[in-house]
């Protein structure tokens, strides 16, 4: 192995696919060769799963690099990045692997090209243990715009477990340099809305039951806002059977939060609605500006930005700590986490501050 290759331990902290996504993306952007070992060592099925392999192959294609050791079940890979180029790229794990996670890995790289890039991402649009595509569009996308990042997301087909079959076309515009963000004042919650859906052969009543239960749960804590969660039956734009709900809350200062849940065999629809509502409420009880799922997704962009970024959040998640660990390994960014001392609620908030590496796009 070349002495300039950086070694990344894939078993530390969160120890899952996130280490792969963040380290491989930063490898491509910084031009640093990496060797990742002990991949997903603590999982019941260690090593690369189809969606991880597909994400790595997409990054390899984006940066015209070399990828060694990449196979299903592999616990060690080496990525030698080349030059990131624009163009059309396809990623299809042939499973219900998350489209949102494929985008997490590839989006940062696509920002550092010479022209707009189109990513055709296939798999599960609404998958367990991953951001639903609705979260990507309604929460992640508007927050990234604060960094100066712009991308379009066109959901051609929704796909559900176990078959997948979803398809999302993402067009990413390159950027010269990311701007730092400050998200420390939440203001008041001004709007709550969402969507409850069924697809395939599942009855429409499930969507109505999820919506009704979610609204009832939120009403117990938030009484003065109109809550709109329409029930939808997806027919032509969905592959397979699925049901779920996502609920979005917006604040007066432009912060966006969400709670979501997917139906499972044997689980009553109202329980799915309640779970999503409680997830949203949990993230509104503290005075933070990002929810527990957005935290870690912002770290790589804070690390790449020029200048100091600050975000206020609830308890810092293990995923966020892991993303910080990897970002500091692969860039010159420096993070600090401190408990906010001006929070009057019983739910403490924290300030994540980052002195960004200020990486510039060499093609613009």
């Amino acid at each position: 192995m070349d002495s300039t290759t950086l070694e990344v331990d894939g078993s530390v902290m969160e120890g899952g696919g996130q280490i792969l996504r963040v380290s491989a993306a930063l490898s491509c952007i910084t031009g640093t060769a990496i060797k990742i070992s002990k991949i997903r060592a603590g999982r019941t099925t260690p090593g690369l799963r189809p969606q991880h392999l597909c994400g790595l192959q997409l990054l390899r294609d984006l940066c015209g690099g070399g990828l060694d050791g990449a196979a299903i079940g592999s616990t060690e890979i080496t990525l030698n990045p080349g030059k990131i180029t624009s163009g059309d790229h396809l990623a299809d794990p042939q499973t219900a692997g998350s489209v949102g996670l494929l985008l997490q890995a590839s989006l940062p790289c696509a920002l550092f090209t010479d022209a707009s890039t189109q990513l055709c991402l296939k798999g599960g649009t609404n998958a367990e243990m991953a951001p639903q595509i609705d979260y990507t569009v309604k929460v992640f996308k508007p927050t990234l715009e604060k960094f100066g990042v712009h991308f379009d997301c066109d959901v051609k087909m929704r796909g559900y477990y176990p078959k997948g079959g979803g398809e999302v076309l993402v067009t990413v515009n390159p950027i010269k340099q990311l701007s730092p963000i400050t998200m420390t004042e939440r203001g008041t919650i001004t709007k709550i809305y969402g969507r409850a859906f069924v697809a395939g052969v599942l009855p429409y009543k499930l969507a109505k039951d999820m919506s009704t239960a979610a609204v009832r749960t939120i009403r117990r804590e938030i009484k003065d806002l109109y809550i709109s969660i329409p029930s939808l039956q997806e027919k032509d734009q969905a592959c397979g059977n699925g049901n779920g709900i996502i609920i979005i809350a917006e604040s007066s200062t432009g912060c966006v939060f969400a709670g979501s849940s997917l139906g499972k065999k044997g689980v009553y629809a109202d329980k799915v609605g309640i779970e999503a509502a409680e997830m949203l409420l949990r993230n509104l009880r503290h005075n933070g500006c990002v929810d527990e799922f957005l935290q870690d997704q912002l770290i790589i962009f804070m690390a790449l930005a020029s200048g100091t970024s600050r975000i206020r959040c609830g308890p810092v998640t293990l995923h966020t700590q892991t993303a910080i660990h990897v970002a500091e390994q692969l860039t010159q960014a420096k993070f600090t986490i401190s408990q906010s001392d001006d929070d009057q609620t019983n739910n403490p908030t924290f300030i994540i501050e980052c002195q960004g590496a200020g990486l510039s796009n060499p093609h613009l």
Side-chain angles (χ1 to χ4, degrees), residues 192-195 211 215 219 225-230 246-248:
I192 296 177
Y193 60 97
R195 71 191 299 271
S211 173
V215 171
R219 278 265 169 270
L225 280 181
Y226 174 68
I227 303 166
S228 170
I229 308 174
I246 181 162
I247 317 162
I248 316 282

Side-chain angles (χ1 to χ4, degrees), residues 72-92:
I72 304 294
S74 172
T75 56
E76 186 173 296
I77 64 102
T78 304
L79 177 62
N80 286 289
K83 178 184 166 189
I84 302 175
T85 52
S86 57
D88 296 350
H89 297 276
L90 168 70
D92 183 3

Side-chain angles (χ1 to χ4, degrees), residues 20 39-40 46-50 52-53 56 69-75 77:
L20 271 177
I39 293 169
R40 302 180 69 253
L48 297 176
R49 303 306 302 144
H52 306 117
L53 176 59
L56 286 169
I72 304 294
S74 172
T75 56
I77 64 102

Side-chain angles (χ1 to χ4, degrees), residues 189-192 219 222-227 250:
I189 299 301
T190 57
K191 196 173 177 185
I192 296 177
R219 278 265 169 270
I222 300 172
K223 298 179 168 61
D224 55 348
L225 280 181
Y226 174 68
I227 303 166
E250 295 179 5

Side-chain angles (χ1 to χ4, degrees), residues 256-332:
V256 194
F257 310 83
S260 64
S261 185
L262 291 171
K264 298 172 204 66
K265 201 170 183 179
V267 177
Y268 286 113
D270 56 353
K271 190 174 178 203
V272 178
I274 291 166
E275 184 176 70
E278 287 181 341
M279 184 186 291
L280 177 66
L281 290 169
R282 181 171 76 237
N283 282 287
L284 295 181
R285 285 183 196 119
H286 61 68
N287 207 24
C289 296
V290 301
D291 64 34
E292 64 195 289
F293 309 103
L294 191 59
Q295 272 183 35
D296 67 281
Q297 295 183 62
L298 297 183
I299 296 302
I300 188 170
F301 300 98
M302 293 169 74
L304 292 169
S306 172
T308 305
S309 292
R310 300 175 82 236
I311 60 171
R312 184 197 292 257
C313 58
V316 178
T317 67
L318 184 57
H319 270 87
T320 297
Q321 294 170 43
T322 305
I324 289 172
H325 170 75
V326 175
E328 288 188 332
Q329 256 193 301
L330 275 145
T331 71
Q332 298 297 309

Side-chain angles (χ1 to χ4, degrees), residues 85-298:
T85 52
S86 57
D88 296 350
H89 297 276
L90 168 70
D92 183 3
Q94 314 259 310
T95 66
S98 168
V99 165
L101 294 182
L102 286 173
L103 182 62
Q104 263 186 38
S106 55
L107 176 63
C109 303
L111 296 172
F112 287 82
T113 58
D114 57 344
S116 80
T117 298
Q118 189 162 74
L119 307 170
C120 179
L121 308 176
K122 298 190 175 187
T125 55
N126 301 74
E128 285 287 351
M129 306 296 290
Q132 294 192 39
I133 195 63
D134 309 272
Y135 185 97
T136 301
V137 172
K138 297 290 189 184
V139 182
F140 180 63
K141 184 176 182 287
T143 307
L144 279 206
E145 287 171 2
K146 298 176 191 289
F147 290 97
V149 170
H150 294 280
F151 67 96
D152 290 320
C153 214
D154 183 8
V155 182
K156 296 289 188 188
M157 180 71 71
R158 288 177 180 267
Y160 305 102
Y161 181 83
K163 287 183 182 175
E167 181 178 337
V168 178
L169 284 181
V170 183
T171 305
V172 186
N173 297 318
I175 188 170
K176 177 66 182 167
Q177 194 170 54
L178 280 80
S179 303
I181 63 164
T182 299
M183 295 178 69
T184 53
E185 301 297 327
R186 186 171 84 185
T188 57
I189 299 301
T190 57
K191 196 173 177 185
I192 296 177
Y193 60 97
R195 71 191 299 271
F197 64 87
V198 292
V201 300
L202 298 179
Y204 178 63
K205 182 181 184 299
L206 293 181
K208 293 207 292 192
D209 288 351
M210 288 186 292
S211 173
T212 303
V215 171
R216 190 173 61 239
T217 304
I218 295 168
R219 278 265 169 270
R220 292 192 191 121
E221 287 192 37
I222 300 172
K223 298 179 168 61
D224 55 348
L225 280 181
Y226 174 68
I227 303 166
S228 170
I229 308 174
S231 309
L232 304 166
Q233 178 122 37
E234 294 172 350
K235 288 182 177 164
D236 302 335
Q237 265 78 45
C239 179
N241 305 315
N243 68 295
I245 181 170
I246 181 162
I247 317 162
I248 316 282
E250 295 179 5
S251 86
S252 55
T253 61
C255 303
V256 194
F257 310 83
S260 64
S261 185
L262 291 171
K264 298 172 204 66
K265 201 170 183 179
V267 177
Y268 286 113
D270 56 353
K271 190 174 178 203
V272 178
I274 291 166
E275 184 176 70
E278 287 181 341
M279 184 186 291
L280 177 66
L281 290 169
R282 181 171 76 237
N283 282 287
L284 295 181
R285 285 183 196 119
H286 61 68
N287 207 24
C289 296
V290 301
D291 64 34
E292 64 195 289
F293 309 103
L294 191 59
Q295 272 183 35
D296 67 281
Q297 295 183 62
L298 297 183

